[in-house]
Structures are given as C-alpha cells and as structure tokens.
Amino acid sequence: MANKISDETIEYVGILAKLELSAEEKAQAKSDMETMLDYIDTLNELDTRGIEPMSHVFPVHNVFREDVVENGDQHEEMLANAPQKKEQSYQVPRTFA
Amino acid sequence: MDILSMTAVELGKKIRAKEITVREAVQACFDRTTEVEDQVNSFVTLEKEEAFRRAEAVQKGIEEGRFTGYLAGVPVAVKDNLCTRGVLTTCSSKILENFIPTYTAEAVRNLNKAGAVVIGKTNMDEFAMGSTTETSYYGATKNPWNLAHVPGGSSGGSCAAVAAREVPYALGSDTGGSIRQPSAYCGVVGIKPTYGTVSRYGLIAYGSSLDQIGPIARDVTDCAAILEAIASHDVKDSTSVLREDTDFTSALKCDVKGMRIGIPQDYFTEGLDQEIRDAIFAAAECLKRQGAVVEKFDLGLVKYAIPAYYVIASAEASSNLSRFDGVKYGYRTKNYEELHGMYKKTRSEGFGPEVKRRIMLGSFVLSSGYYDAYYLKALRTKALIKKAFDDAFSRYDIILAPAAPQVAPKLGASLSDPLKMYLGDIYTVSVNLAGLPGISIPVGRTSGGLPIGMQMIANCFQEKKLFTAAYTYECLTEKKWVSRWPHLRRNGEDIPAGEKEGREEK
C-alpha cells in the first residue's frame, strides 16, 4: 500500500468535511482513503504536462442575468422546514462564547 | 384494455382519444403499486391524493384543448432528488427525512406543462451515491426480474418502477451512469442527454459538472417524447444550453444505412461478462445487416476514467453537500451545545457511510497540498478523455458499448467492497466526464433471466443519432426485449433462482 494516511490527516479532513467520526469510522475512513488514493494514483501514469485542466466541457464562461425576484414571499413555507425557529428566524446555538 | 401494458405514448394517445380517462390511468398505477411495492420498494413517497386531484385538473385541460402533447394525462414517477413543491423530497437520506421543497424542479415543471401526473417519488442511492440503490436510508429497491438482485443505481427506484409496470415512465438523474446502468439491469430504456440539455434547477446537486436529468421508459419512442418535453433552456441554470434541435421524436426512423458505428476494443476485454459481450455483438450485427458500417477501434484511456471521475465527483459532492448542516431544513441532531458541534453531529448522524466516504475523499483532494496532485490532475485527465472521444467521433457517428461489465449483482454483494463497486462504472463515467449523450437499451437476457443492456454513445448534441439507431434496433428485433413483464409474485413469495421471464404480452 503506497498511500499512508496519518491520524492527523484524518482529523484535519474530518474538520474540513464537518464530520465527527467515531474511532471505528476513522479507522475505516483511513483504510478506504488509502485504497482509493492508491487506485487514483494510476492517473500518474498519464503525462498531462501542458494540458489545461478542463472544468467545463463546453466553452461556456460567466453567464449573467438581471437579478430579478420572481418568487413571492415564501417566508412561512421556508421556515416550516427549519429544525428550530424563533421569531420568524432560523434558530442556531450560541455562536460566540 | 390493459393500461399497464401500454407505453407512455400509447397511453397518452388513448387518453387524448377519450378511450381512457386520466383517473383510470392513475388508478391503474396505484393498483399496481399496491400489488408489488412491498416486494420491489421502488418508491419513497406515493402521492395519491395529490395525483387524483391533479388527474381531474389534467382531464379538464385535455377536454378544453390545453394539453395536447404525447404525455398529457400520463402518470410519471420522479426520482427523489428532484424538488417537488409541497411534496417530501429526501434524496433517500435521513438528513432530508422531513424536507418539503418550496419550489419544483424545472424538468418536472416542464412535465407538468405537458400535462403529466406525478404519482410519487422514487427510491435511489443516498444523494445518488451508489450503484445498487442499497445505500438508501429507506431500504433497498429490488430488481423486478429477480427480487434477490439489485436494480442498479442510483436511479434504481425509477428503473424498477418502470420495469415492474408501476408507472409507464420515470425521471432519473445520471452523474456517472445512474440512468444507464440501472436501465440495463432492469431491462428498460434510459438516456442521459448531453450536459446542459435538461435544466438542473431543482435537482439536488451531487457532482454539478456531471449531473444530468433524463427519461427512463419502456421503449425508445417514449424516451424521445419525454426528452422533447423536459429539454429546455433555463436562465436559472447557468450551464443550461440553448438548443433548437430538441424535436427528438423526428429522429424515430428505422434507418441506419451508412451510419458509422465504432466498437471500442478496449471495452471488450477481460472483466466483461461473456453473455453481455455476445448480446452486444449480436446487436451490432443486426444494425450492420441494415446497412450500418461497423468497425472496431481503440478508444484509449479507458482505465483512467474511473479514478478521474471519483476525484471530480467526490470533490464536487463535498462542496455541494456542505449545505446540509441542520440549520435551514432537514434533520438536526438532538443533543448539541455550540454551533460547530451541532453541524458535525447533525451531518455525522444524517449522512450514511457511502456519502461520508465521498465527502471525506472530496475534502481531501481539494485540501491545500493535494489540490494540484489530485483535483487538477483529474481535470487534466478529463481533458484528455474528452479529446479521445473527439477523435473517435471524427470517424464514427455512434459508439457501441456495454452499460455495465456484469448483469445485476445479488443484494448485499457490492457494499462490502466500494472500490469493486466503483469499477462497475467503467463504461459509463467517461460519458459524463466528456458531457456526451448516452442511451441504454435492452439487448438480451442472460441464461439466469436477468436483462442485458447495451449503451450507445454519440457526440455532444447528437441525441438524434442515438434515437435513430436505438429505434432501428427495436424495430429490427420487434421489441423483443422491451415488451415483456417481469414475473412478480403477488403474495410476496420469492422467485426461485434461475426462473425465466414471466407473462408475455400479446
């Protein structure tokens, strides 16, 4: 196995991914990621020097339009989906200590 | 009159001719779901009340001449990652177990404008991540041809519903093969259009640069008619393409004379099931007899498509799924103290293992220090794959390929080894990377009775070539593979392994 993922890396990726993994899940994530990265490393066989990274298959660039509001007031409907709400707003736990 | 045996276009014709009412059509579908849903589990949500209410409105619209198209009054099922206003939309995830969208996806709106009646939302792999529909939080869907097997994924619910005659057609989405592979496994016809053809507005995003919505139906004519209805230029999707050639039904001709068909030799190597190989070569022979020019060639780069795909798709997924954090909609963890803890616990409890796996991989390949080596490398590989297809399409109108290397595996056989499951996407993912249209059509049955699918791939914007070739094949074989019913037992007992197909039509 060529790729070795350290405990620190898994911790760090967990922070980026905003996931809280159990010890068991972390061990599994490490081994899964190592397997995938070993496999992904086959891409290194390809010489891609001078090749532009292609993010979009068609030559489409920025697409602009006027920012016109088309939908009406959906305040109630949207708040109905909120796990917690208070006084017509989304409620979240304390953000500043 | 057996409503369930009719294709969408046939049923639409009868409805417009007043031989069948919209209500009768909708009732027939719900009767069938009652009969088979406990075995197949194609649906996450059935919308009976709303469907019957809508049926009355559409019936009136047809009588008043407001709905005149192919699909007026015809029931449809919609994959559960397409937002439907007022109707639960879960992406088959726990994290969206209670999400009621406030708007409807553009593709579904287009169907509504054509007079369609949505009867429910179909099961899928959680957030469309998976190849078997087993990663659904709401339980696996079963393959109607053999309930011990998976229907494929991620649009497994849509494909199983169509195969099991629960609904004449359905919408699916395809990021790496999620329409074409389950269509092959379930013996139905499914097309992933050119990227940008169908608006992604209201499609809950997985890999935005790869996702496309497309039809799943029981024949090629239906697929053409449905795609004609859902294709549209939409300013709400900045990757939407303005096309003036979306009259796809005009391509339904039985004529492949002079059509240049390429068979990539590097797709027919070890790992491909012998029965699938034979069925595809037989189909190619069939088109050749009709005047098509069939040649073998080397496509190249085949083994690099899957690693490039999983880097790009996971990267985009990790970004797209960051919106699910328990604040504005969906599940929120019960016990938490501060904000970040709430985010992390919510997401960890709300997402299943496959989704977490891809979010982790995606976060890793986008992180500083690895971005160039993995993410940009994958985007460069994508450019090379696109070029390989450009070269192929300078010589061929169509490429013939398998949809998957094997037929539908047994339930539970794929999840233990993710990499092995990913390798099953070998013939489908490159089509998404290059933005191409691809159709999967049934071309046979294995000795065990499971459907075999063939994929046809065309250059961007050349869906009409796919429809002509697929329609020709269907004519030549007299719809041999698409007009049979799977043998579903009514009382829930298992189908003995190896039992062949059931009830024949006409």
Side-chain angles (χ1 to χ4, degrees):
Chain A
M1 182 154 289
N3 283 283
K4 265 289 172 214
I5 302 287
S6 66
D7 291 341
E8 292 74 34
T9 304
I10 280 293
E11 283 299 329
Y12 178 59
V13 175
I15 292 168
L16 293 175
K18 286 202 164 50
L19 289 171
E20 187 178 85
L21 303 182
S22 67
E24 206 174 292
E25 282 181 311
K26 272 180 208 162
Q28 187 64 47
K30 258 167 78 170
S31 110
D32 286 347
M33 210 180 286
E34 285 167 353
T35 310
M36 272 313 278
L37 292 178
D38 284 346
Y39 177 58
I40 290 165
D41 281 343
T42 54
L43 293 181
N44 294 331
E45 297 167 15
L46 276 177
D47 183 0
T48 52
R49 277 173 300 178
I51 307 289
E52 277 295 305
M54 179 186 265
S55 51
H56 199 290
V57 282
F58 307 129
V60 177
H61 302 290
N62 284 335
V63 179
F64 296 107
R65 65 178 160 92
E66 289 303 315
D67 189 12
V68 183
V69 177
E70 290 178 356
N71 50 343
D73 179 11
Q74 294 183 305
H75 206 95
E76 292 295 331
E77 256 181 292
M78 291 179 75
L79 268 179
N81 273 308
Q84 274 199 296
K85 57 194 168 222
K86 189 180 177 186
E87 293 164 13
Q88 296 295 297
S89 300
Y90 297 113
Q91 191 177 10
V92 293
R94 181 188 292 275
T95 309
F96 299 103
Chain B
M1 221 163 343
D2 190 355
I3 290 173
L4 300 178
S5 290
M6 293 176 201
T7 65
V9 166
E10 286 164 1
L11 178 56
K13 204 170 165 188
K14 298 272 185 200
I15 290 172
R16 290 196 308 282
K18 316 253 160 47
E19 291 173 43
I20 295 171
T21 65
V22 182
R23 191 183 173 82
E24 284 165 349
V26 170
Q27 186 66 55
C29 291
F30 283 124
D31 289 347
R32 180 68 176 162
T33 58
T34 304
E35 206 169 79
V36 303
E37 218 13 44
D38 60 336
Q39 300 165 75
V40 184
N41 192 33
S42 311
F43 287 88
V44 175
T45 304
L46 283 167
E47 270 296 300
K48 270 195 186 168
E49 234 170 86
E50 172 59 22
F52 281 116
R53 198 196 53 75
R54 169 88 180 142
E56 298 307 320
V58 170
Q59 185 71 51
K60 198 155 171 269
I62 292 169
E63 279 156 20
E64 288 168 358
R66 279 184 285 118
F67 296 124
T68 55
Y70 296 113
L71 303 174
V74 180
V76 58
V78 173
K79 188 174 180 180
D80 211 21
N81 58 353
L82 285 155
C83 286
T84 41
R85 183 175 177 154
V87 177
L88 185 68
T89 299
T90 69
C91 264
S92 286
S93 180
K94 178 183 178 184
I95 212 161
L96 288 178
E97 65 185 1
N98 52 6
F99 174 56
I100 311 284
T102 58
Y103 67 102
T104 297
E106 190 68 11
V108 180
R109 284 186 53 183
N110 286 339
L111 282 185
N112 285 337
K113 277 187 231 161
V117 180
V118 177
I119 65 158
K121 308 293 293 288
T122 55
N123 202 11
M124 54 187 279
D125 280 295
E126 185 181 0
F127 283 101
M129 297 176 191
S131 311
T132 63
T133 314
E134 290 171 295
T135 69
S136 167
Y137 179 65
Y138 306 99
T141 298
K142 316 283 169 51
N143 191 315
W145 291 98
N146 187 329
L147 298 172
H149 290 250
V150 304
S154 66
S155 309
S158 289
C159 293
V162 172
R165 265 64 184 173
E166 293 177 274
V167 71
Y169 76 104
L171 291 189
S173 68
D174 189 316
T175 306
S178 283
I179 287 176
R180 291 159 288 154
Q181 181 256 36
S183 291
Y185 283 6
C186 291
V188 295
V189 183
I191 181 167
K192 178 203 99 70
T194 305
Y195 186 78
T197 301
V198 180
S199 167
R200 292 181 296 108
Y201 178 76
L203 170 70
I204 297 173
Y206 160 22
S208 312
S209 76
L210 309 162
D211 297 339
Q212 262 296 286
I213 297 162
I216 292 155
R218 286 199 298 266
D219 73 359
V220 177
T221 301
D222 277 7
C223 276
I226 300 155
L227 187 56
E228 206 165 283
I230 61 174
S232 67
H233 180 240
D234 182 7
V235 293
K236 297 189 293 306
D237 171 2
S238 60
T239 60
S240 170
V241 177
L242 178 59
R243 294 182 64 168
E244 277 156 14
D245 60 342
T246 55
D247 55 328
F248 299 114
T249 48
S250 69
L252 297 169
K253 289 176 288 200
C254 190
D255 178 18
V256 289
K257 202 164 189 315
M259 187 180 270
R260 298 163 303 160
I261 296 178
I263 299 183
Q265 300 193 87
D266 28 8
Y267 275 5
F268 291 82
T269 53
E270 55 171 332
L272 176 64
D273 183 274
Q274 185 67 38
E275 288 183 291
I276 297 178
R277 175 204 307 258
D278 293 347
I280 292 172
F281 284 147
E285 195 54 41
C286 185
L287 294 170
K288 195 173 167 182
R289 279 199 301 273
Q290 206 61 16
V293 182
V294 181
E295 260 178 38
K296 289 181 181 167
F297 75 107
D298 283 316
L299 180 63
L301 301 175
V302 173
K303 71 173 186 171
Y304 304 110
I306 295 174
Y309 169 80
Y310 277 93
V311 170
I312 294 168
S314 301
E316 293 182 13
S318 72
S319 169
N320 278 324
L321 270 61
S322 61
R323 62 172 61 101
F324 303 104
D325 58 7
V327 173
K328 295 195 286 295
Y329 38 70
Y331 172 81
R332 180 188 285 194
T333 182
K334 298 293 163 270
N335 303 305
Y336 54 88
E337 279 166 17
E338 42 77 51
L339 187 67
H340 273 270
M342 191 275 282
Y343 288 154
K344 288 174 87 169
K345 277 193 81 179
T346 294
R347 291 164 59 79
S348 301
E349 292 165 14
F351 292 134
E354 185 59 33
V355 174
K356 288 186 207 173
R357 183 154 37 231
R358 296 196 199 188
I359 292 176
M360 289 290 283
L361 181 66
S363 302
F364 177 80
V365 299
L366 289 176
S367 65
S368 69
Y370 298 101
Y371 181 85
D372 285 18
Y374 290 106
Y375 185 62
L376 288 186
K377 181 78 184 181
L379 290 184
R380 290 190 168 96
T381 306
K382 171 177 163 160
L384 291 175
I385 289 170
K386 171 80 174 147
K387 192 177 170 302
F389 276 110
D390 286 346
D391 291 346
F393 288 121
S394 69
R395 283 172 289 152
Y396 304 109
D397 296 303
I398 276 182
I399 293 173
L400 286 195
Q406 307 288 329
V407 291
K410 283 214 156 117
L411 286 156
S414 306
L415 290 187
S416 54
D417 188 349
L419 182 57
K420 194 173 160 212
M421 180 173 80
Y422 301 162
L423 293 177
D425 299 341
I426 184 153
Y427 307 120
T428 47
V429 292
S430 51
V431 169
N432 299 75
L433 289 172
L436 308 168
I439 192 169
S440 174
I441 59 170
V443 293
R445 213 66 56 78
T446 62
S447 49
L450 287 166
I452 295 173
M454 174 173 79
Q455 189 184 193
M456 298 189 194
I457 305 162
N459 207 351
C460 293
F461 310 116
Q462 299 297 320
E463 282 87 352
K464 284 183 182 170
K465 287 181 180 171
L466 296 180
F467 284 126
T468 300
Y471 184 78
T472 301
Y473 175 79
E474 220 175 62
C475 292
L476 295 174
T477 51
E478 296 172 324
K479 289 195 162 190
K480 185 176 177 189
W481 306 115
V482 297
S483 57
R484 289 175 203 185
W485 289 55
H487 197 157
L488 277 164
R489 298 300 173 87
R490 305 200 169 194
N491 303 319
E493 73 266 42
D494 285 341
I495 292 177
E499 181 170 311
K500 303 236 173 109
E501 62 249 15
R503 175 173 157 195
E504 298 268 343
E505 262 180 58
K506 286 175 209 122

